[in-house]
Amino acid sequence: MSVKDILVPDIGDFESVDIIDVLVSPGDTIGIDDSLVTVESDKASMDIPTPEAGVVKEVKVKVGDKIAEGHLIITLEVIDRIESKSADVAAAKAVIPEPAKAEAPLVAVPEPTRPAPEPPKQVKPIGKPAPVGAHVDTNREVNSHASPSVRKFARELGVDLKLVVGSGPKNRILQSDVQAFVKDELAKPRTESMTAGASALSTLTMPIIDFSKFGEIKTQPLSRIKKLSGANLHRNWVTAPHVTQFDEADITDLEDFRKSMQADAEKRGVKLTMLAFLIKASVNALKAYPNFNASLSPDGDSLILKSYYNVGFACDTPDGLVVPVVKNVQSKDVLEIAADLMDLSAKARERKLKVEEMQGGCFTISSLGGIGGTMFTPIINCPEVAILGVSRSSMQPVYDKETKSFEPRLILPLSLSYDHRVIDGADGARFTSHMRMMLSDVRRLLL
Ligand code: CAO
């Protein structure tokens, strides 16, 4: 056994980066590729792994230090490869039972790799929240990639690592992922049915398939935004019972009006898109149906109604989906809303959005109208309770009772997903009818 200095390796373009997390402590047993520290530049954050296995002797850095290639991170009592593997396994075994061996299926038929769930045994009584992540077995913890200090941190909080989505390299779980998981869990309404649902779902695992057996493959890491938004989308999908109400609005007159305003808007440096009118109309509908401008309280027992109207919009960026929020829409006209949209979407694409520009939303609009499609089922941006999906408008023949003929009208498809715990089907249909009415009559919209 010898003591080795573990230095910062070549980390690409980063010349000097801040340490935002130290993931090991003296005495930790670590394996090859375990993360030592997390660093962050203005562009991204990344973990720096150890190239050697062993026992941490001294940690030579702390949070806030600036480091670059060649900087000493830790000294390590190195153990040879075979010892290191058994040390890792021993460290893992010290906290968890041996996992059942998950065989990859030989044919492409999805099969659960573990026995069927027994939800009733795992359900906790109402009012007594289960310890975070306690409703599932811990067998998969060894398969979750996390450093010893993160495992220790998770154990202290009672977090089952297999429920945590890692945002580090190779999906490695960082301390911040565990913290975010706990925060999310605590914010969830805790009812018996939800616990049962989560419990049942968490026991279903995806089969592990070696796709290279069937042809050439390439593995591409997900962007940080994709990983984070993916975890949130999954949580929202599983937590809120979604219903999607479809409708269509006749926007022929509105589109004529928008075009007639365009020159004036351009003089003010603003591109006046349909989305600005949709945001305006949605606030009118939110005022008419306040349950849509609300969130469930953390215990799930009451509804928190909001008297402000902040509308988020899904924005497609090269790194993935982000949702900037247009604030206080009730006191803005369409040109001001359009100016906010331009400003926020430019910032989103240049990765310059501030955290507060993505917070405080009451309702979200996801517009795919500029791209295409007829209808879709958007996922609610919880703890909001509804989201409006907008697809591409198209000219369609609409029967006019007065002239007894078909007229060409510009029709905009709307898809409203709502949380059925909060909103009844009737109100869902009333909300889209209200939107239809607002969008079909420019005078009402601009009043
Ligand atoms: N029907 C037909 N055409 C539409 C339309 C609609 N409903 N909505 C917009 N368009 C047109 C616009 O008029 C514009 O045409 P011109 O360039 O000829 O003027 C073009 O589509 C592009 O519009 P835009 O993108 O500049 O403006 P926008 O306000 O429609 O959208 C934004 C802004 C940020 C919402 C959009 O750029 C975007 O990112 N959309 C994707 C959102 C997304 O990914 N949602 C999915 C979330 S769930 O995974």
Side-chain angles (χ1 to χ4, degrees):
M1 196 179 291
S2 60
V3 175
K4 260 202 171 175
D5 288 347
I6 304 296
L7 310 178
V8 176
D10 176 5
I11 46 176
D13 294 340
F14 303 106
E15 281 185 359
S16 167
V17 284
D18 293 321
I19 294 187
I20 58 165
D21 209 353
V22 177
L23 307 169
V24 291
S25 313
D28 281 349
T29 303
I30 54 175
I32 292 172
D33 276 349
D34 275 350
S35 296
L36 300 175
V37 290
T38 307
V39 293
E40 188 172 63
S41 72
D42 51 349
K43 290 185 199 136
S45 63
M46 63 189 282
D47 276 12
I48 296 187
T50 173
E52 304 270 358
V55 178
V56 178
K57 199 160 186 290
E58 280 180 283
V59 178
K60 297 289 195 181
V61 289
K62 59 183 184 316
V63 171
D65 284 357
K66 280 196 180 301
I67 54 169
E69 185 179 349
H71 199 112
L72 176 61
I73 309 175
I74 57 162
T75 55
L76 185 74
E77 279 179 351
V78 178
I79 33 188
D80 67 36
R81 191 61 62 90
I82 294 158
E83 264 183 84
S84 130
K85 272 193 183 160
S86 46
D88 276 351
V89 174
K93 277 184 180 164
V95 292
I96 42 173
E98 187 79 36
K101 199 177 170 196
E103 291 287 346
L106 297 175
V107 288
V109 179
E111 263 189 58
T113 50
R114 277 186 275 148
E118 292 181 329
K121 281 187 195 161
Q122 295 161 334
V123 173
K124 298 279 160 188
I126 297 173
K128 282 189 188 167
V132 178
H135 47 272
V136 286
D137 72 59
T138 51
N139 285 353
R140 229 175 65 192
E141 193 177 341
V142 268
N143 296 332
S144 309
H145 301 294
S147 67
S149 65
V150 172
R151 285 184 191 285
K152 183 162 169 265
F153 180 64
R155 275 200 307 281
E156 280 166 4
L157 296 177
V159 170
D160 182 343
L161 281 181
K162 80 169 187 263
L163 297 176
V164 181
V165 177
S167 63
K170 296 185 192 158
N171 296 338
R172 186 173 292 277
I173 298 168
L174 311 180
Q175 183 160 335
S176 55
D177 297 323
V178 179
Q179 283 164 332
F181 177 82
V182 172
K183 218 167 142 193
D184 284 350
E185 285 289 317
L186 292 175
K188 276 183 197 167
R190 299 211 156 248
T191 65
E192 186 161 0
S193 59
M194 280 186 54
T195 316
S199 173
L201 272 164
S202 62
T203 53
L204 301 173
T205 51
M206 205 57 83
I208 301 162
I209 295 172
D210 175 9
F211 298 104
S212 65
K213 284 196 301 199
F214 309 108
E216 196 179 321
I217 57 164
K218 192 168 94 178
T219 302
Q220 186 178 309
L222 292 180
S223 72
R224 188 172 164 76
I225 290 182
K226 267 228 154 75
K227 280 191 244 176
L228 292 173
S229 62
N232 285 337
L233 288 165
H234 184 222
R235 179 202 59 195
N236 299 349
W237 179 252
V238 169
T239 311
H242 282 60
V243 177
T244 305
Q245 171 69 53
F246 301 111
D247 213 330
E248 290 179 333
D250 181 337
I251 57 162
T252 318
D253 299 338
L254 179 56
E255 180 62 0
D256 287 345
F257 178 74
R258 186 182 76 85
K259 284 185 180 150
S260 72
M261 292 270 297
Q262 198 59 274
D264 269 359
E266 272 166 22
K267 275 187 208 147
R268 290 167 62 168
V270 175
K271 185 177 178 199
L272 186 55
T273 65
M274 187 52 69
L275 187 55
F277 291 96
L278 285 159
I279 290 178
K280 185 85 185 155
S282 66
V283 167
N284 197 294
L286 291 172
K287 283 183 179 169
Y289 297 96
N291 281 9
F292 283 79
N293 200 47
S295 289
L296 270 176
S297 62
D299 62 7
D301 285 344
S302 43
L303 201 56
I304 300 164
L305 296 152
K306 299 159 196 171
S307 309
Y308 53 88
Y309 299 88
N310 298 337
V311 178
F313 63 101
C315 185
D316 185 28
T317 77
D319 294 324
L321 183 70
V322 291
V323 184
V325 177
V326 181
K327 301 272 168 64
N328 296 315
V329 179
Q330 76 279 2
S331 51
K332 290 180 178 163
D333 62 30
V334 276
L335 284 174
E336 289 169 318
I337 298 169
D340 280 3
L341 285 174
M342 279 179 67
D343 175 48
L344 291 168
S345 33
K347 281 187 188 163
R349 288 178 183 131
E350 292 160 21
R351 303 180 192 175
K352 286 187 180 153
L353 274 180
K354 296 190 191 117
V355 174
E356 57 267 28
E357 289 172 316
M358 293 184 278
Q359 287 175 337
C362 307
F363 179 77
T364 297
I365 298 186
S366 174
S367 173
L368 293 172
I371 302 168
T374 50
M375 299 275 184
F376 66 109
T377 53
I379 297 179
I380 302 163
N381 191 13
C382 298
E384 294 168 21
V385 294
I387 180 169
L388 181 71
V390 181
S391 301
R392 194 168 190 76
S393 56
S394 61
M395 267 307 168
Q396 290 181 24
V398 175
Y399 189 69
D400 185 329
K401 277 187 209 152
E402 280 175 25
T403 60
K404 293 200 168 87
S405 62
F406 283 94
E407 300 290 331
R409 306 293 294 176
L410 187 63
I411 304 298
L412 180 73
L414 304 174
S415 313
L416 176 83
S417 294
Y418 56 85
D419 185 336
H420 211 351
R421 293 173 301 177
V422 177
I423 292 156
D424 295 333
D427 274 345
R430 283 188 194 108
F431 189 93
T432 55
S433 299
H434 190 96
M435 286 293 293
R436 199 179 56 200
M437 182 182 72
M438 299 302 301
L439 295 168
S440 311
D441 186 344
V442 188
R443 289 161 310 165
R444 277 183 204 260
L445 181 58
L446 297 177
L447 269 181

